[in-house]
Amino acid sequence: MTKKLTEMSVLTAIALIIFTVESHIPNLSPIPEMKPGLANIITVYAVYRFSPSETALIVAARIILGSVFTGNVSVMLYSMSGAVLCLAGMILIKKIIPEKYMYLSSIAGAVLHNTGQLIAAVFIMHTTAVIAYYPFLIITGCISGLFTGLCAQYVVLRVKR
């Protein structure tokens, strides 16, 4: 139990560091606050390594602490809405997609994460105009999901050695 808690804590810290560093990278896309989501490498790994509740704890801690550390608590609303949809989808997909194809689960998770954030934006901004970004979000979600999934797969291979 102590070993698992320690591993979860270290993964949370790594994800938090990645999230914090990434938050300081200037946005180069036309969509505000669009980031590649590199901290999700840890999320994808955790989905395949831990139980759903343990993975949810890692993600929730990263989002809450990341929002506090970056001084942007409004990001927590968008991140949580995306994370809930992403985790639910990835946990279901994990049952049919084996570990060696976790990048496919990551792609679906990234698209679901963007969908959750878009839904939050519609409710927070009280406008449906943001839906126009959805095609772009699907494309970027597939690209970033593939990248984070491949990175998570590499981590799994390295940990097994």
Side-chain angles (χ1 to χ4, degrees):
M1 181 64 174
T2 304
K3 183 179 178 184
K4 184 181 266 191
L5 184 59
T6 303
E7 185 179 0
M8 290 172 58
S9 299
V10 168
L11 288 172
T12 302
I14 292 169
L16 185 57
I17 290 166
I18 294 169
F19 178 82
T20 304
V21 169
E22 191 176 45
S23 73
H24 290 87
I25 297 171
N27 186 14
L28 300 175
S29 84
I31 299 175
E33 297 299 320
M34 178 115 182
K35 302 289 181 187
L38 298 177
N40 289 320
I41 294 167
I42 304 302
T43 303
V44 176
Y45 172 79
V47 164
Y48 281 85
R49 173 79 174 94
F50 299 107
S51 72
S53 60
E54 291 166 340
T55 303
L57 285 173
I58 292 170
V59 172
R62 176 193 38 102
I63 291 171
I64 293 166
L65 292 172
S67 297
V68 171
F69 290 171
T70 59
N72 194 350
V73 180
S74 66
V75 168
M76 185 169 28
L77 298 170
Y78 292 102
S79 293
M80 276 296 188
S81 61
V84 167
L85 205 53
C86 171
L87 273 179
M90 285 180 61
I91 289 166
L92 290 172
I93 291 169
K94 173 189 167 189
K95 296 175 191 239
I96 57 173
I97 294 180
E99 188 177 276
K100 69 180 184 175
Y101 299 112
M102 72 170 53
Y103 64 90
L104 295 172
S105 177
S106 178
I107 292 169
V111 171
L112 288 168
H113 191 278
N114 287 345
T115 303
Q117 288 184 320
L118 191 67
I119 292 168
V122 167
F123 284 106
I124 291 169
M125 297 174 160
H126 303 291
T127 180
T128 57
V130 293
I131 294 175
Y133 290 118
Y134 198 54
F136 184 71
L137 290 173
I138 290 173
I139 293 167
T140 58
C142 288
I143 294 167
S144 65
L146 176 63
F147 179 75
T148 57
L150 290 173
C151 289
Q153 206 152 5
Y154 180 75
V155 170
V156 167
L157 292 173
R158 297 294 291 181
V159 169
K160 283 185 178 180
R161 287 188 201 162

Short mmCIF file of all heavy atoms in Angstrom, two decimals, residues 63-123:
data_model
loop_
_atom_site.label_atom_id
_atom_site.label_comp_id
_atom_site.label_asym_id
_atom_site.label_seq_id
_atom_site.Cartn_x
_atom_site.Cartn_y
_atom_site.Cartn_z
N ILE A 63 -5.00 18.86 -11.02
CA ILE A 63 -5.80 20.01 -11.48
C ILE A 63 -5.98 21.04 -10.37
O ILE A 63 -5.80 22.24 -10.60
CB ILE A 63 -7.16 19.52 -12.03
CG1 ILE A 63 -6.94 18.76 -13.34
CG2 ILE A 63 -8.10 20.70 -12.25
CD1 ILE A 63 -8.16 18.05 -13.85
N ILE A 64 -6.33 20.59 -9.19
CA ILE A 64 -6.56 21.53 -8.08
C ILE A 64 -5.26 22.25 -7.71
O ILE A 64 -5.22 23.48 -7.63
CB ILE A 64 -7.16 20.81 -6.86
CG1 ILE A 64 -8.58 20.34 -7.20
CG2 ILE A 64 -7.17 21.71 -5.63
CD1 ILE A 64 -9.16 19.33 -6.21
N LEU A 65 -4.20 21.49 -7.49
CA LEU A 65 -2.92 22.12 -7.13
C LEU A 65 -2.36 22.95 -8.27
O LEU A 65 -1.80 24.03 -8.04
CB LEU A 65 -1.92 21.05 -6.70
CG LEU A 65 -2.23 20.34 -5.38
CD1 LEU A 65 -1.28 19.18 -5.16
CD2 LEU A 65 -2.20 21.31 -4.22
N GLY A 66 -2.50 22.47 -9.50
CA GLY A 66 -2.03 23.24 -10.65
C GLY A 66 -2.74 24.58 -10.78
O GLY A 66 -2.10 25.59 -11.09
N SER A 67 -4.02 24.60 -10.52
CA SER A 67 -4.78 25.85 -10.58
C SER A 67 -4.32 26.82 -9.50
O SER A 67 -4.20 28.02 -9.74
CB SER A 67 -6.27 25.57 -10.42
OG SER A 67 -6.74 24.79 -11.47
N VAL A 68 -4.05 26.29 -8.33
CA VAL A 68 -3.57 27.13 -7.23
C VAL A 68 -2.16 27.63 -7.52
O VAL A 68 -1.87 28.82 -7.38
CB VAL A 68 -3.62 26.35 -5.89
CG1 VAL A 68 -2.93 27.13 -4.78
CG2 VAL A 68 -5.05 26.04 -5.51
N PHE A 69 -1.26 26.74 -7.94
CA PHE A 69 0.13 27.11 -8.19
C PHE A 69 0.29 28.10 -9.33
O PHE A 69 1.17 28.95 -9.30
CB PHE A 69 0.99 25.89 -8.46
CG PHE A 69 1.21 24.99 -7.27
CD1 PHE A 69 1.81 23.76 -7.42
CD2 PHE A 69 0.82 25.37 -5.99
CE1 PHE A 69 2.02 22.93 -6.33
CE2 PHE A 69 1.01 24.55 -4.90
CZ PHE A 69 1.62 23.32 -5.07
N THR A 70 -0.53 27.96 -10.36
CA THR A 70 -0.43 28.88 -11.50
C THR A 70 -1.22 30.16 -11.27
O THR A 70 -1.12 31.09 -12.05
CB THR A 70 -0.90 28.22 -12.81
OG1 THR A 70 -2.26 27.80 -12.66
CG2 THR A 70 -0.02 27.04 -13.18
N GLY A 71 -2.00 30.19 -10.19
CA GLY A 71 -2.77 31.39 -9.87
C GLY A 71 -3.95 31.60 -10.78
O GLY A 71 -4.46 32.72 -10.90
N ASN A 72 -4.41 30.56 -11.44
CA ASN A 72 -5.52 30.69 -12.37
C ASN A 72 -6.59 29.67 -12.00
O ASN A 72 -6.68 28.59 -12.61
CB ASN A 72 -5.02 30.48 -13.80
CG ASN A 72 -6.01 30.93 -14.84
OD1 ASN A 72 -7.15 31.23 -14.53
ND2 ASN A 72 -5.57 30.96 -16.08
N VAL A 73 -7.41 30.01 -11.03
CA VAL A 73 -8.42 29.09 -10.52
C VAL A 73 -9.52 28.84 -11.54
O VAL A 73 -10.13 27.77 -11.56
CB VAL A 73 -8.99 29.60 -9.18
CG1 VAL A 73 -10.04 28.66 -8.63
CG2 VAL A 73 -7.87 29.77 -8.15
N SER A 74 -9.74 29.79 -12.46
CA SER A 74 -10.78 29.58 -13.48
C SER A 74 -10.42 28.41 -14.41
O SER A 74 -11.29 27.76 -14.96
CB SER A 74 -11.02 30.85 -14.30
OG SER A 74 -9.88 31.17 -15.06
N VAL A 75 -9.13 28.15 -14.55
CA VAL A 75 -8.68 27.02 -15.37
C VAL A 75 -9.20 25.71 -14.79
O VAL A 75 -9.45 24.74 -15.51
CB VAL A 75 -7.13 27.01 -15.47
CG1 VAL A 75 -6.61 25.72 -16.06
CG2 VAL A 75 -6.66 28.19 -16.29
N MET A 76 -9.39 25.69 -13.46
CA MET A 76 -9.85 24.46 -12.80
C MET A 76 -11.21 24.02 -13.35
O MET A 76 -11.43 22.83 -13.54
CB MET A 76 -9.94 24.67 -11.28
CG MET A 76 -10.29 23.40 -10.55
SD MET A 76 -10.14 23.43 -8.75
CE MET A 76 -10.40 25.10 -8.28
N LEU A 77 -12.10 24.96 -13.63
CA LEU A 77 -13.42 24.60 -14.15
C LEU A 77 -13.32 23.91 -15.51
O LEU A 77 -13.95 22.89 -15.75
CB LEU A 77 -14.30 25.85 -14.26
CG LEU A 77 -14.60 26.57 -12.96
CD1 LEU A 77 -15.27 27.90 -13.23
CD2 LEU A 77 -15.44 25.71 -12.06
N TYR A 78 -12.50 24.48 -16.37
CA TYR A 78 -12.33 23.89 -17.70
C TYR A 78 -11.58 22.55 -17.61
O TYR A 78 -11.97 21.58 -18.27
CB TYR A 78 -11.55 24.85 -18.61
CG TYR A 78 -12.32 26.10 -18.96
CD1 TYR A 78 -12.07 27.31 -18.33
CD2 TYR A 78 -13.31 26.06 -19.93
CE1 TYR A 78 -12.77 28.45 -18.66
CE2 TYR A 78 -14.03 27.20 -20.27
CZ TYR A 78 -13.76 28.39 -19.63
OH TYR A 78 -14.46 29.50 -19.95
N SER A 79 -10.54 22.53 -16.82
CA SER A 79 -9.74 21.30 -16.70
C SER A 79 -10.55 20.16 -16.10
O SER A 79 -10.47 19.02 -16.56
CB SER A 79 -8.50 21.55 -15.85
OG SER A 79 -7.63 22.42 -16.51
N MET A 80 -11.32 20.45 -15.06
CA MET A 80 -12.11 19.40 -14.41
C MET A 80 -13.18 18.85 -15.36
O MET A 80 -13.40 17.65 -15.42
CB MET A 80 -12.78 19.90 -13.13
CG MET A 80 -11.91 19.86 -11.93
SD MET A 80 -11.42 18.21 -11.47
CE MET A 80 -10.64 18.56 -9.93
N SER A 81 -13.85 19.76 -16.08
CA SER A 81 -14.90 19.28 -16.99
C SER A 81 -14.30 18.41 -18.09
O SER A 81 -14.87 17.38 -18.46
CB SER A 81 -15.68 20.46 -17.58
OG SER A 81 -14.82 21.30 -18.32
N GLY A 82 -13.14 18.80 -18.59
CA GLY A 82 -12.47 17.98 -19.60
C GLY A 82 -11.97 16.68 -19.02
O GLY A 82 -12.10 15.62 -19.63
N ALA A 83 -11.42 16.74 -17.82
CA ALA A 83 -10.85 15.54 -17.19
C ALA A 83 -11.91 14.50 -16.86
O ALA A 83 -11.68 13.30 -17.03
CB ALA A 83 -10.10 15.93 -15.92
N VAL A 84 -13.08 14.94 -16.42
CA VAL A 84 -14.15 13.99 -16.07
C VAL A 84 -14.57 13.20 -17.32
O VAL A 84 -14.65 11.97 -17.28
CB VAL A 84 -15.36 14.72 -15.45
CG1 VAL A 84 -16.58 13.84 -15.39
CG2 VAL A 84 -15.00 15.24 -14.07
N LEU A 85 -14.80 13.91 -18.40
CA LEU A 85 -15.21 13.24 -19.64
C LEU A 85 -14.08 12.37 -20.19
O LEU A 85 -14.30 11.23 -20.61
CB LEU A 85 -15.63 14.30 -20.67
CG LEU A 85 -16.60 13.89 -21.76
CD1 LEU A 85 -17.85 13.25 -21.19
CD2 LEU A 85 -16.96 15.09 -22.61
N CYS A 86 -12.88 12.88 -20.15
CA CYS A 86 -11.70 12.14 -20.63
C CYS A 86 -11.50 10.86 -19.84
O CYS A 86 -11.33 9.78 -20.42
CB CYS A 86 -10.47 13.03 -20.52
SG CYS A 86 -8.91 12.20 -20.83
N LEU A 87 -11.50 10.97 -18.52
CA LEU A 87 -11.28 9.78 -17.67
C LEU A 87 -12.37 8.74 -17.86
O LEU A 87 -12.08 7.54 -17.97
CB LEU A 87 -11.21 10.18 -16.20
CG LEU A 87 -9.85 10.58 -15.69
CD1 LEU A 87 -9.92 10.97 -14.22
CD2 LEU A 87 -8.83 9.50 -15.89
N ALA A 88 -13.62 9.19 -17.90
CA ALA A 88 -14.73 8.24 -18.09
C ALA A 88 -14.55 7.49 -19.40
O ALA A 88 -14.68 6.25 -19.45
CB ALA A 88 -16.06 8.99 -18.06
N GLY A 89 -14.22 8.21 -20.45
CA GLY A 89 -14.03 7.57 -21.75
C GLY A 89 -12.85 6.64 -21.78
O GLY A 89 -12.94 5.51 -22.27
N MET A 90 -11.73 7.08 -21.23
CA MET A 90 -10.53 6.24 -21.25
C MET A 90 -10.67 4.99 -20.39
O MET A 90 -10.16 3.93 -20.75
CB MET A 90 -9.31 7.05 -20.81
CG MET A 90 -8.84 8.02 -21.88
SD MET A 90 -7.42 9.00 -21.40
CE MET A 90 -6.21 7.75 -21.11
N ILE A 91 -11.38 5.11 -19.28
CA ILE A 91 -11.59 3.94 -18.42
C ILE A 91 -12.46 2.91 -19.13
O ILE A 91 -12.20 1.71 -19.06
CB ILE A 91 -12.18 4.38 -17.06
CG1 ILE A 91 -11.09 5.10 -16.26
CG2 ILE A 91 -12.74 3.19 -16.29
CD1 ILE A 91 -11.60 5.88 -15.06
N LEU A 92 -13.46 3.37 -19.86
CA LEU A 92 -14.29 2.45 -20.64
C LEU A 92 -13.50 1.85 -21.81
O LEU A 92 -13.59 0.64 -22.06
CB LEU A 92 -15.54 3.17 -21.17
CG LEU A 92 -16.59 3.56 -20.13
CD1 LEU A 92 -17.68 4.42 -20.76
CD2 LEU A 92 -17.18 2.32 -19.51
N ILE A 93 -12.76 2.67 -22.49
CA ILE A 93 -11.99 2.22 -23.65
C ILE A 93 -10.91 1.23 -23.24
O ILE A 93 -10.59 0.29 -23.97
CB ILE A 93 -11.39 3.43 -24.40
CG1 ILE A 93 -12.53 4.21 -25.08
CG2 ILE A 93 -10.35 2.99 -25.42
CD1 ILE A 93 -12.11 5.55 -25.63
N LYS A 94 -10.34 1.42 -22.04
CA LYS A 94 -9.28 0.52 -21.54
C LYS A 94 -9.75 -0.94 -21.52
O LYS A 94 -8.96 -1.85 -21.71
CB LYS A 94 -8.87 0.96 -20.14
CG LYS A 94 -7.92 0.03 -19.45
CD LYS A 94 -7.75 0.43 -18.00
CE LYS A 94 -7.05 -0.66 -17.24
NZ LYS A 94 -7.03 -0.43 -15.82
N LYS A 95 -11.05 -1.13 -21.34
CA LYS A 95 -11.59 -2.49 -21.27
C LYS A 95 -11.54 -3.21 -22.61
O LYS A 95 -11.55 -4.43 -22.66
CB LYS A 95 -13.03 -2.46 -20.74
CG LYS A 95 -13.11 -1.96 -19.31
CD LYS A 95 -14.53 -1.81 -18.85
CE LYS A 95 -14.55 -1.07 -17.54
NZ LYS A 95 -15.12 -1.76 -16.46
N ILE A 96 -11.48 -2.45 -23.70
CA ILE A 96 -11.45 -3.08 -25.03
C ILE A 96 -10.14 -2.87 -25.78
O ILE A 96 -9.86 -3.59 -26.73
CB ILE A 96 -12.65 -2.62 -25.90
CG1 ILE A 96 -12.68 -1.11 -26.04
CG2 ILE A 96 -13.95 -3.14 -25.34
CD1 ILE A 96 -13.71 -0.60 -27.01
N ILE A 97 -9.36 -1.86 -25.38
CA ILE A 97 -8.09 -1.59 -26.05
C ILE A 97 -6.96 -2.02 -25.12
O ILE A 97 -6.83 -1.49 -24.02
CB ILE A 97 -7.96 -0.10 -26.41
CG1 ILE A 97 -9.00 0.26 -27.47
CG2 ILE A 97 -6.56 0.20 -26.92
CD1 ILE A 97 -8.99 1.70 -27.90
N PRO A 98 -6.15 -2.98 -25.55
CA PRO A 98 -5.05 -3.44 -24.70
C PRO A 98 -3.96 -2.37 -24.53
O PRO A 98 -3.88 -1.41 -25.28
CB PRO A 98 -4.51 -4.67 -25.43
CG PRO A 98 -4.95 -4.51 -26.84
CD PRO A 98 -6.20 -3.69 -26.82
N GLU A 99 -3.12 -2.62 -23.55
CA GLU A 99 -2.05 -1.69 -23.19
C GLU A 99 -1.14 -1.33 -24.35
O GLU A 99 -0.71 -0.19 -24.48
CB GLU A 99 -1.23 -2.30 -22.06
CG GLU A 99 -0.22 -1.38 -21.45
CD GLU A 99 0.49 -2.05 -20.31
OE1 GLU A 99 -0.04 -2.03 -19.19
OE2 GLU A 99 1.60 -2.59 -20.54
N LYS A 100 -0.88 -2.26 -25.23
CA LYS A 100 0.04 -1.98 -26.34
C LYS A 100 -0.54 -0.99 -27.36
O LYS A 100 0.18 -0.49 -28.21
CB LYS A 100 0.51 -3.26 -27.02
CG LYS A 100 -0.54 -4.00 -27.80
CD LYS A 100 0.09 -5.25 -28.43
CE LYS A 100 -0.91 -5.97 -29.30
NZ LYS A 100 -0.29 -7.09 -30.00
N TYR A 101 -1.84 -0.72 -27.26
CA TYR A 101 -2.47 0.28 -28.13
C TYR A 101 -3.03 1.44 -27.31
O TYR A 101 -4.01 2.07 -27.71
CB TYR A 101 -3.60 -0.36 -28.95
CG TYR A 101 -3.13 -1.46 -29.85
CD1 TYR A 101 -3.50 -2.78 -29.62
CD2 TYR A 101 -2.31 -1.18 -30.93
CE1 TYR A 101 -3.06 -3.80 -30.45
CE2 TYR A 101 -1.86 -2.20 -31.76
CZ TYR A 101 -2.24 -3.51 -31.51
OH TYR A 101 -1.80 -4.51 -32.34
N MET A 102 -2.40 1.73 -26.19
CA MET A 102 -2.92 2.78 -25.32
C MET A 102 -2.95 4.16 -26.00
O MET A 102 -3.71 5.02 -25.59
CB MET A 102 -2.18 2.84 -23.99
CG MET A 102 -0.80 3.39 -24.05
SD MET A 102 -0.04 3.72 -22.44
CE MET A 102 -0.22 2.22 -21.57
N TYR A 103 -2.17 4.34 -27.05
CA TYR A 103 -2.20 5.60 -27.76
C TYR A 103 -3.58 5.86 -28.37
O TYR A 103 -4.01 7.00 -28.50
CB TYR A 103 -1.09 5.68 -28.82
CG TYR A 103 -1.21 4.67 -29.94
CD1 TYR A 103 -1.92 4.97 -31.09
CD2 TYR A 103 -0.62 3.41 -29.83
CE1 TYR A 103 -2.04 4.04 -32.11
CE2 TYR A 103 -0.72 2.48 -30.85
CZ TYR A 103 -1.43 2.80 -31.98
OH TYR A 103 -1.55 1.88 -32.99
N LEU A 104 -4.31 4.80 -28.74
CA LEU A 104 -5.67 4.97 -29.25
C LEU A 104 -6.61 5.48 -28.15
O LEU A 104 -7.45 6.35 -28.38
CB LEU A 104 -6.19 3.66 -29.83
CG LEU A 104 -5.45 3.13 -31.06
CD1 LEU A 104 -5.94 1.73 -31.42
CD2 LEU A 104 -5.60 4.08 -32.23
N SER A 105 -6.44 4.94 -26.97
CA SER A 105 -7.21 5.40 -25.81
C SER A 105 -6.88 6.86 -25.51
O SER A 105 -7.76 7.66 -25.18
CB SER A 105 -6.89 4.52 -24.60
OG SER A 105 -7.56 4.97 -23.47
N SER A 106 -5.62 7.21 -25.66
CA SER A 106 -5.18 8.59 -25.41
C SER A 106 -5.78 9.56 -26.41
O SER A 106 -6.18 10.67 -26.06
CB SER A 106 -3.66 8.66 -25.47
OG SER A 106 -3.21 9.98 -25.27
N ILE A 107 -5.86 9.15 -27.67
CA ILE A 107 -6.47 10.01 -28.70
C ILE A 107 -7.94 10.26 -28.35
O ILE A 107 -8.40 11.41 -28.36
CB ILE A 107 -6.34 9.38 -30.10
CG1 ILE A 107 -4.87 9.36 -30.54
CG2 ILE A 107 -7.20 10.11 -31.13
CD1 ILE A 107 -4.60 8.52 -31.78
N ALA A 108 -8.66 9.19 -28.02
CA ALA A 108 -10.07 9.35 -27.65
C ALA A 108 -10.19 10.22 -26.40
O ALA A 108 -11.07 11.09 -26.33
CB ALA A 108 -10.70 7.97 -27.40
N GLY A 109 -9.30 10.02 -25.44
CA GLY A 109 -9.32 10.82 -24.22
C GLY A 109 -9.08 12.29 -24.49
O GLY A 109 -9.74 13.15 -23.90
N ALA A 110 -8.16 12.60 -25.38
CA ALA A 110 -7.86 13.99 -25.72
C ALA A 110 -9.06 14.67 -26.38
O ALA A 110 -9.41 15.82 -26.06
CB ALA A 110 -6.64 14.08 -26.61
N VAL A 111 -9.70 13.95 -27.30
CA VAL A 111 -10.89 14.51 -27.97
C VAL A 111 -12.02 14.71 -26.94
O VAL A 111 -12.69 15.74 -26.94
CB VAL A 111 -11.34 13.62 -29.14
CG1 VAL A 111 -12.68 14.06 -29.69
CG2 VAL A 111 -10.28 13.63 -30.25
N LEU A 112 -12.19 13.74 -26.05
CA LEU A 112 -13.21 13.88 -25.00
C LEU A 112 -12.87 15.02 -24.05
O LEU A 112 -13.76 15.75 -23.60
CB LEU A 112 -13.36 12.56 -24.23
CG LEU A 112 -14.04 11.44 -24.99
CD1 LEU A 112 -13.89 10.11 -24.25
CD2 LEU A 112 -15.51 11.76 -25.23
N HIS A 113 -11.60 15.20 -23.75
CA HIS A 113 -11.17 16.29 -22.88
C HIS A 113 -11.52 17.64 -23.51
O HIS A 113 -12.09 18.52 -22.86
CB HIS A 113 -9.66 16.20 -22.63
CG HIS A 113 -9.18 17.10 -21.55
ND1 HIS A 113 -8.91 18.43 -21.74
CD2 HIS A 113 -8.91 16.86 -20.25
CE1 HIS A 113 -8.50 18.97 -20.61
NE2 HIS A 113 -8.50 18.02 -19.69
N ASN A 114 -11.20 17.78 -24.80
CA ASN A 114 -11.54 19.01 -25.51
C ASN A 114 -13.05 19.22 -25.57
O ASN A 114 -13.53 20.34 -25.45
CB ASN A 114 -10.96 18.99 -26.92
CG ASN A 114 -9.46 19.16 -26.93
OD1 ASN A 114 -8.85 19.57 -25.96
ND2 ASN A 114 -8.84 18.84 -28.06
N THR A 115 -13.79 18.13 -25.72
CA THR A 115 -15.26 18.23 -25.75
C THR A 115 -15.78 18.72 -24.40
O THR A 115 -16.65 19.61 -24.35
CB THR A 115 -15.87 16.85 -26.10
OG1 THR A 115 -15.35 16.41 -27.36
CG2 THR A 115 -17.39 16.92 -26.16
N GLY A 116 -15.26 18.17 -23.32
CA GLY A 116 -15.67 18.60 -21.99
C GLY A 116 -15.36 20.06 -21.74
O GLY A 116 -16.16 20.80 -21.17
N GLN A 117 -14.19 20.50 -22.18
CA GLN A 117 -13.82 21.90 -22.01
C GLN A 117 -14.71 22.81 -22.85
O GLN A 117 -15.08 23.91 -22.41
CB GLN A 117 -12.36 22.12 -22.38
CG GLN A 117 -11.41 21.54 -21.36
CD GLN A 117 -9.97 21.84 -21.68
OE1 GLN A 117 -9.55 21.81 -22.84
NE2 GLN A 117 -9.20 22.12 -20.65
N LEU A 118 -15.07 22.37 -24.03
CA LEU A 118 -15.95 23.17 -24.88
C LEU A 118 -17.34 23.29 -24.26
O LEU A 118 -17.95 24.37 -24.29
CB LEU A 118 -16.03 22.55 -26.28
CG LEU A 118 -16.70 23.41 -27.33
CD1 LEU A 118 -15.86 24.65 -27.62
CD2 LEU A 118 -16.89 22.63 -28.61
N ILE A 119 -17.83 22.21 -23.70
CA ILE A 119 -19.13 22.25 -23.01
C ILE A 119 -19.07 23.23 -21.84
O ILE A 119 -19.99 24.03 -21.64
CB ILE A 119 -19.54 20.83 -22.55
CG1 ILE A 119 -19.87 19.96 -23.76
CG2 ILE A 119 -20.73 20.90 -21.59
CD1 ILE A 119 -20.00 18.47 -23.44
N ALA A 120 -17.98 23.19 -21.09
CA ALA A 120 -17.81 24.14 -19.97
C ALA A 120 -17.79 25.58 -20.49
O ALA A 120 -18.40 26.46 -19.88
CB ALA A 120 -16.54 23.83 -19.20
N ALA A 121 -17.10 25.80 -21.60
CA ALA A 121 -17.03 27.15 -22.16
C ALA A 121 -18.40 27.66 -22.58
O ALA A 121 -18.72 28.83 -22.37
CB ALA A 121 -16.08 27.16 -23.36
N VAL A 122 -19.23 26.78 -23.14
CA VAL A 122 -20.59 27.18 -23.54
C VAL A 122 -21.37 27.65 -22.31
O VAL A 122 -22.04 28.68 -22.34
CB VAL A 122 -21.32 26.02 -24.26
CG1 VAL A 122 -22.81 26.31 -24.39
CG2 VAL A 122 -20.70 25.77 -25.62
N PHE A 123 -21.26 26.90 -21.21
CA PHE A 123 -22.00 27.27 -19.99
C PHE A 123 -21.41 28.48 -19.29
O PHE A 123 -22.15 29.35 -18.82
CB PHE A 123 -22.06 26.09 -19.02
CG PHE A 123 -23.05 25.05 -19.41
CD1 PHE A 123 -22.62 23.84 -19.94
CD2 PHE A 123 -24.42 25.27 -19.29
CE1 PHE A 123 -23.53 22.88 -20.34
CE2 PHE A 123 -25.34 24.32 -19.69
CZ PHE A 123 -24.90 23.11 -20.21
#
